[in-house]
Amino acid sequence: MTSSDSPANTAETPETPAERTGVAAMDWAAASADPQYRAAVVDLLGALAYGELAAFERLAEDAKLAPTMADKAELAKMASAEFHHFERLRDRLAEIGEEPTQAMEPFVAAYDGFHKQTAPSDWLEGLVKAYVGDSIASDFYREVAARLDSDTRALVLAVLDDTGHGGFAVEKVRAAIEADPRVGGRLALWARRLMGEALSQSQRVVADRDALSTMLVGGVADGFDLAEVGRMFSRITEAHTKRMAALGLAA
């Protein structure tokens, strides 16, 4: 999963307490004694794992649209990084006694549905989709990570490391707009559609998974409540607006 390497990525450092408390102060061995928390983490890792696998597949497909050999090679490198992230999540699920395929299965329809509804028509739309869509997802998972046990938090943050797609997308999209300013309007509409679809899909996934929804509203993860969920989505929206500006597009 990619995220912007721009300073505009404000959600990379969500507001967290100076001193961690509750679940966030525990390691996996202690936190996983709560079966509801364990179920939430399995869901979270399953969702992340399938997201990374889908990102790998998408980047490999996008490479076919790349206009130059150098661009193809760059996307291939990013796809490889996404697959490595998938492997880490898959291995962690197996390590804690979960079947990776079963953990991922509940999220296949949502991810595949999102990608089907937002299939890019050209190279530039593919770049914007990866930059905008993946960054929204990364922001969400970074927010959640702040409330996870120390072992799971470290893994989640590691697999959200930027693969370089952020800077690559900004460079290519800005150059395209400079060459033909009309491109900007089309890509701005596309990015707004992606934002809406990404938020809708994430909200549906959370609503369908009891353990995840409980984590978000404060049942098993320390520090979340309904008001904080609202603030979280406000921060994600603000970060999106800044990324759009980095691309040279209006939010």
Side-chain angles (χ1 to χ4, degrees):
M1 196 158 298
T2 57
S3 60
S4 170
D5 52 0
S6 161
N9 193 3
T10 58
E12 287 189 359
T13 54
E15 297 175 8
T16 56
E19 183 177 349
R20 298 187 187 278
T21 59
V23 170
M26 300 179 187
D27 62 10
W28 170 251
S32 62
D34 180 343
Q36 191 173 35
Y37 177 76
R38 180 185 177 90
V41 169
V42 171
D43 272 354
L44 184 67
L45 297 183
L48 269 170
Y50 191 71
E52 295 290 353
L53 185 59
F56 160 73
E57 292 177 326
R58 189 190 66 244
L59 284 170
E61 285 296 314
D62 288 351
K64 297 177 182 178
L65 301 173
T68 70
M69 187 66 71
D71 291 335
K72 287 180 185 291
E74 189 68 22
L75 286 185
K77 182 176 72 174
M78 294 173 193
S80 177
E82 300 288 12
F83 192 75
H84 178 60
H85 291 165
F86 160 73
E87 289 180 313
R88 292 190 64 179
L89 291 159
R90 178 201 61 194
D91 293 348
R92 177 57 176 168
L93 283 163
E95 182 183 337
I96 63 174
E98 299 292 333
E99 210 295 311
T101 302
Q102 291 180 5
M104 291 187 287
E105 186 61 38
F107 307 99
V108 171
Y111 273 106
D112 288 357
F114 172 74
H115 290 306
K116 183 177 181 180
Q117 293 168 15
T118 58
S121 63
D122 61 20
W123 157 250
L124 290 173
E125 286 190 2
L127 287 179
V128 172
K129 178 179 176 179
Y131 182 64
V132 171
D134 286 356
S135 293
I136 292 168
S138 292
D139 286 348
F140 173 76
Y141 289 123
R142 286 179 189 278
E143 293 274 359
V144 174
R147 278 77 178 181
L148 297 172
D149 68 90
S150 58
D151 298 316
T152 305
R153 180 170 63 248
L155 173 62
V156 168
L157 293 177
V159 300
L160 294 178
D161 278 349
D162 180 42
T163 61
H165 206 126
F168 183 75
V170 169
E171 176 188 349
K172 298 298 180 180
V173 171
R174 278 190 169 276
I177 293 173
E178 184 175 346
D180 182 1
R182 294 173 299 177
V183 168
R186 173 172 66 86
L187 293 180
L189 289 173
W190 172 242
R192 284 195 286 273
R193 179 185 167 193
L194 291 169
M195 175 68 170
E197 291 286 351
L199 289 179
S200 295
Q201 287 288 3
S202 63
Q203 290 166 350
R204 280 197 290 271
V205 167
V206 169
D208 288 344
R209 305 299 294 176
D210 290 343
L212 274 181
S213 60
T214 301
M215 174 184 280
L216 284 178
V217 298
V220 296
D222 185 64
F224 266 109
D225 56 30
L226 287 173
E228 175 57 20
V229 171
R231 290 191 290 271
M232 176 185 73
F233 279 108
S234 293
R235 288 193 294 271
I236 291 172
T237 301
E238 180 182 356
H240 167 73
T241 300
K242 291 181 178 180
R243 286 194 192 95
M244 291 286 283
L247 285 171
L249 303 174

